[in-house]
């Protein structure tokens, strides 16, 4: 089995700050994803990457940047944190996006912006 | 509008009872995943479905692609079944589209 780790677990930022979230997977999966979950709601896709150095926008990409530095890691940057923003950011990975393979999720990073 | 609609939005169950959760899809869906999010926020994979039925312990799930829905049946509910259940649809080559979840509370 494999595991997905996300750092940090909790992130408190200031309005206007640039914040970076990191995700590592040891499944050797090709595709990685970043989702945002707001309280009481489902997950929405921010960015995904089908291989190293690839980047694809999801429905919620505005206000975010992402970087797939290597196959095992995928970073997400909040370019300018919004005041009172509170959400959970979930990273996931799967073998193959096109086949719609099972996605495995990390434990999440909880963001609070003061 | 809602591409993946889950019902009910909340469900209270007594231990030992059975219930069913449903997802309706208004988008072409090739495969479906069901997740359980625990109170700490971790998402646990329950099922990955092509059209058909899968069973795992007290849980059973069906995906009917012709009628565009999926169901998750909980049999003999236990306290540890509490949490929020999400279904998510794969649309061919795109990433998952999530429903808004069903929050299940199981009481003694």
């Amino acid at each position: 089995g494999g595991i997905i780790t996300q750092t940090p677990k909790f992130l408190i930022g200031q309005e206007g700050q640039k914040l970076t979230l990191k995700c590592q997977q040891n499944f050797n999966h090709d595709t990685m994803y970043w989702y945002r979950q707001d309280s009481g709601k489902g997950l929405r896709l921010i960015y995904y990457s089908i291989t190293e150095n690839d980047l694809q926008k999801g429905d919620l990409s505005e206000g975010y940047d992402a970087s797939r530095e290597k196959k095992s890691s995928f970073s997400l940057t909040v370019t300018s944190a919004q005041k009172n923003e509170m959400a959970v950011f979930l990273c996931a990975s799967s073998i193959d996006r096109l086949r719609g393979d099972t996605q495995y999720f990390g434990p999440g990073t909880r963001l609070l912006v003061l | 509008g809602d591409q993946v609609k889950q019902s009910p939005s909340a469900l209270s169950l007594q231990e030992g009872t059975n219930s069913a959760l449903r997802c309706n899809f208004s988008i072409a869906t090739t495969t479906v995943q069901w997740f359980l999010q625990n109170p700490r926020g971790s998402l646990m994979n329950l099922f990955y479905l092509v059209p058909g039925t899968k069973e795992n312990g007290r849980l059973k799930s069906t995906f009917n692609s012709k009628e565009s829905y999926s169901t998750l049946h909980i049999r003999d509910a236990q306290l540890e079944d509490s949490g929020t259940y999400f279904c998510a649809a794969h649309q061919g080559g795109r990433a998952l589209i999530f429903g808004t979840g069903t929050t299940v509370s199981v009481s003694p």
Side-chain angles (χ1 to χ4, degrees):
Chain A
I3 193 167
I4 296 179
T5 54
Q6 289 187 239
T7 54
K9 285 186 182 174
F10 299 97
L11 186 53
I12 299 177
Q14 302 286 331
E15 185 182 10
Q17 207 176 356
K18 191 173 176 179
L19 302 167
T20 298
L21 291 66
K22 293 189 182 291
C23 177
Q24 299 265 351
Q25 53 97 0
N26 64 0
F27 287 102
N28 199 33
H29 284 166
D30 290 317
T31 306
M32 295 183 75
Y33 311 81
W34 275 106
Y35 291 90
R36 174 187 166 123
Q37 185 178 27
D38 292 281
S39 180
K41 296 186 179 177
L43 282 69
R44 291 180 291 170
L45 182 67
I46 307 172
Y47 270 102
Y48 66 98
S49 165
I50 61 174
T51 189
E52 186 178 333
N53 294 321
D54 175 72
L55 212 52
Q56 308 285 339
K57 289 184 179 181
D59 297 329
L60 210 65
S61 60
E62 193 168 330
Y64 301 94
D65 283 329
S67 174
R68 184 82 180 272
E69 304 92 358
K70 46 187 179 180
K71 188 174 182 179
S72 62
S73 67
F74 194 28
S75 300
L76 180 73
T77 299
V78 179
T79 54
S80 178
Q82 301 297 304
K83 190 173 173 65
N84 297 324
E85 184 174 3
M86 190 165 66
V88 177
F89 292 85
L90 288 155
C91 174
S93 71
S94 68
I95 294 172
D96 186 324
R97 172 184 66 91
L98 292 177
R99 290 189 300 165
D101 283 331
T102 303
Q103 290 189 20
Y104 296 89
F105 282 78
T109 293
R110 282 145 188 81
L111 171 68
L112 174 62
V113 181
L114 303 175
Chain B
D2 292 338
Q3 296 173 309
V4 179
K5 206 160 188 176
Q6 277 188 252
S7 60
S9 55
L11 192 55
S12 293
L13 298 175
Q14 282 225 291
E15 253 184 322
T17 59
N18 306 331
S19 192
L21 287 59
R22 186 174 172 112
C23 271
N24 289 311
F25 310 112
S26 60
I27 49 173
T29 300
T30 53
T31 59
V32 174
Q33 273 188 260
W34 281 92
F35 299 90
L36 170 58
Q37 189 169 41
N38 66 23
R40 287 180 304 150
S42 295
L43 272 175
M44 184 167 55
N45 278 292
L46 296 177
F47 291 103
Y48 170 78
L49 294 159
V50 293
T53 297
K54 279 188 179 176
E55 197 161 349
N56 185 5
R58 296 178 292 101
L59 299 180
K60 183 166 96 171
S61 185
T62 296
F63 171 35
N64 185 323
S65 57
K66 287 182 182 172
E67 296 182 30
S68 300
Y69 74 87
S70 179
T71 55
L72 177 70
H73 291 264
I74 304 173
R75 176 174 53 82
D76 183 25
Q78 301 296 306
L79 297 177
E80 62 263 28
D81 295 333
S82 296
T84 301
Y85 290 79
F86 288 99
C87 67
H90 282 279
Q91 254 194 302
R94 295 190 59 191
L96 290 172
I97 299 172
F98 279 76
T100 50
T102 295
T103 300
V104 172
S105 301
V106 182
S107 54

